[in-house]
Amino acid sequence: MVIFEASNFTLPTPSSLSSLPLTTSLSFEPSSLSLSLTHFDSSISLYPSFSISDSTLPQSQTLIPSPSSSSAFLLLRRHRSPDSTPRVVFIVAGPHRSFILLRFYILNTIGNVFYRPKSVFCGDCKDLRFEPNLGVLVNSKHGVSIKVSGSVNYFAMYSVSSAKVWIFALKIDDDDDDGEVVRLMRCAVIECLRPVWSVSVSFGMLLLGEENGVRVFGLRRLVKGKVKKVRNFNSKVPNGGSVRDYGKNGKHGVAVKQANVKQNEGVCFMALKGKGVETKSISKVPISVKVISIQALSQRMFLILDSDGDLHLLSLSNSGIGVDITGHVRQLPHIMNVQNLAVLPDVSTMSQIVWISDGCHSVYLFNATDVENALNEADGDDGDKKLMHLPVNQVLFSGEKIQDIICLASNSILILGQGSLYAYAIS
């Protein structure tokens, strides 16, 4: 394979008052080629169509003003037309006074521009309120940190200060082709007993990165709720709860109970392996490491990055739908102190490409199939403790210190340096 530099893009300059790098992180949505750049002042530039063949960034962009704490892309699929092209929504969470503010931007494919919907309908949920000039206010303190992760029709939001994870559903009415009215439904709330360092919603799974391991929820179990048709929304229901605890959904008085669970209820926690130190009194004491990134390789395999810079492979034995979730975690060979991890969000490809960076000047490329093969060989080694070998296919070197990396396609990558944006492709 030959590596060639495709483009060197000039980054936007939201402010000239700081000597810090102006752009700090990237995100990408492959089906629409949408790119977001988060700047040092927490403002965000949205580009609806990005291509490495362009010599400059597209002129058409949406500038989302600061402050923002976290953001994510989400795909909306209509239930009546599951095969239709999904709508792309960009979600931004940030503070407004002491509350959490959610802002939504929908991609108009005809005009190739992101726009804000005229209204977001929050139903009867008293903790959500739409303000036309702002967005949706969540009646919870923003605190020090918010994390948002999007998937198809659902997104998760974690608040450190509130110690909660909210699961929301988002939809556009089937008869609303313009997407002017968006419906936001809170489906579940998880009360967190332990800190959460990363959140991922992928393939019907909610994964929480904690200390020394990953906690996995079946998303369908969280969001399906209990359904009961009622006439009086102040009446009682058979399980002893008030229907006021239900969120009204639809036009026919259907109430869906919100799931309220604790972090350790009905889920599977899978600990990281190989993390420990030898002592005289105890043979091995676990080292406290944090799971800081979770990337999906397939429906049942996830790549995990911990705070020590080590990679792990999480393999699930089943889908978690209707059955208990089981699986195991295996540590990959230590190639470098990994700071950045990028996997193509589109996992329909047969051979998944993984990019990792040391956060300095190098980026390594390897194949996810090689990861699984190396682990399978180690499992069948009959206890000889053979050193696992993970073949690296390519190495890139950057003249600038690397801040972030994202996959654009199975053969291309975008690298954010200190002041430049570089695109590379493989031929």
Side-chain angles (χ1 to χ4, degrees):
M1 290 189 295
V2 178
I3 301 291
F4 65 93
E5 182 177 336
S7 302
N8 180 3
F9 298 94
T10 301
L11 294 173
T13 307
S15 172
S16 59
L17 301 179
S18 175
S19 60
L20 296 174
L22 297 180
T23 301
T24 58
S25 63
L26 314 166
S27 63
F28 184 70
E29 200 292 301
S31 68
S32 62
L33 305 180
S34 297
L35 174 71
S36 75
L37 306 180
T38 301
H39 308 298
F40 78 97
D41 61 353
S42 81
S43 64
I44 300 174
S45 293
L46 263 182
Y47 298 89
S49 181
F50 176 81
S51 173
I52 61 174
S53 61
D54 297 332
S55 58
T56 59
L57 287 172
Q59 294 297 321
S60 176
Q61 64 161 306
T62 300
L63 180 62
I64 302 173
S66 61
S68 63
S69 302
S70 183
S71 60
F73 285 103
L74 178 144
L75 294 180
L76 282 179
R77 293 190 183 276
R78 295 187 174 185
H79 297 292
R80 295 180 184 177
S81 305
D83 296 330
S84 61
T85 303
R87 304 290 296 271
V88 177
V89 181
F90 189 69
I91 306 167
V92 181
H96 179 72
R97 297 176 181 172
S98 60
F99 299 105
I100 300 172
L101 174 64
L102 292 175
R103 290 175 284 176
F104 302 94
Y105 297 82
I106 303 174
L107 177 60
N108 184 338
T109 55
I110 298 177
N112 202 29
V113 64
F114 281 91
Y115 69 95
R116 299 184 68 176
K118 289 184 178 180
S119 177
V120 180
F121 179 71
C122 302
D124 293 338
C125 185
K126 61 182 180 180
D127 294 331
L128 302 176
R129 184 176 82 253
F130 175 69
E131 295 288 344
N133 296 326
L134 293 173
V136 174
L137 288 174
V138 182
N139 189 19
S140 184
K141 292 184 178 180
H142 179 278
V144 296
S145 177
I146 295 288
K147 297 182 187 298
V148 175
S149 177
S151 182
V152 178
N153 296 342
Y154 295 97
F155 70 95
M157 181 175 71
Y158 169 64
S159 168
V160 174
S161 299
S162 299
K164 290 181 180 178
V165 176
W166 293 272
I167 308 298
F168 293 98
L170 203 66
K171 68 172 293 188
I172 296 176
D173 289 340
D174 288 328
D175 55 354
D176 183 8
D177 293 331
D178 296 329
E180 298 294 341
V181 178
V182 173
R183 291 181 179 268
L184 177 67
M185 295 156 282
R186 188 179 61 190
C187 302
V189 177
I190 301 172
E191 297 180 13
C192 298
L193 307 177
R194 302 173 181 84
V196 174
W197 302 98
S198 56
V199 179
S200 175
V201 183
S202 302
F203 295 107
M205 298 289 180
L206 170 66
L207 298 95
L208 304 181
E210 301 179 13
E211 288 189 355
N212 300 322
V214 178
R215 196 172 301 273
V216 185
F217 293 77
L219 190 61
R220 182 178 295 184
R221 288 186 174 185
L222 287 175
V223 304
K224 67 178 182 180
K226 295 181 180 180
V227 179
K228 180 180 178 63
K229 289 189 177 181
V230 294
R231 294 182 179 178
N232 181 3
F233 272 80
N234 290 319
S235 63
K236 298 291 182 178
V237 292
N239 63 3
S242 171
V243 186
R244 268 192 294 262
D245 295 333
Y246 286 59
K248 189 175 181 181
N249 181 12
K251 304 176 182 178
H252 305 290
V254 177
V256 181
K257 186 177 181 181
Q258 172 187 289
N260 291 276
V261 300
K262 294 188 181 298
Q263 190 173 4
N264 59 352
E265 291 179 347
V267 296
C268 177
F269 180 81
M270 279 162 267
L272 303 183
K273 305 298 182 183
K275 292 290 182 180
V277 293
E278 301 293 336
T279 66
K280 294 182 179 179
S281 58
I282 304 176
S283 59
K284 202 169 189 180
V285 176
I287 299 175
S288 179
V289 295
K290 307 171 184 65
V291 173
I292 60 175
S293 180
I294 304 171
Q295 301 284 339
L297 295 176
S298 67
Q299 290 183 335
R300 298 183 182 181
M301 294 179 62
F302 300 84
L303 200 58
I304 297 168
L305 173 62
D306 68 31
S307 55
D308 278 352
D310 289 324
L311 294 174
H312 309 258
L313 187 68
L314 166 62
S315 301
L316 300 179
S317 302
N318 52 57
S319 63
I321 300 176
V323 294
D324 293 332
I325 302 172
T326 59
H328 58 278
V329 179
R330 293 173 288 181
Q331 185 173 348
L332 273 62
H334 184 87
I335 299 177
M336 63 168 72
N337 185 13
V338 180
Q339 297 297 313
N340 306 107
L341 169 64
V343 179
L344 181 67
D346 182 8
V347 295
S348 61
T349 57
M350 295 297 294
S351 181
Q352 196 73 0
I353 300 297
V354 178
W355 304 80
I356 59 175
S357 170
D358 59 359
C360 294
H361 299 277
S362 63
V363 180
Y364 286 44
L365 177 152
F366 57 90
N367 196 300
T369 304
D370 296 334
V371 175
E372 190 173 13
N373 292 338
L375 291 172
N376 290 336
E377 289 178 4
D379 289 343
D381 196 34
D382 297 329
D384 291 339
K385 297 184 178 180
K386 177 184 175 182
L387 181 63
M388 224 187 321
H389 175 64
L390 184 61
V392 174
N393 296 330
Q394 290 290 341
V395 181
L396 296 177
F397 295 99
S398 170
E400 297 182 11
K401 188 174 181 181
I402 297 170
Q403 293 191 87
D404 201 2
I405 57 175
I406 57 170
C407 288
L408 298 176
S410 59
N411 67 335
S412 58
I413 184 175
L414 202 61
I415 299 177
L416 175 64
Q418 293 296 102
S420 301
L421 194 62
Y422 301 95
Y424 292 88
I426 303 172
S427 60

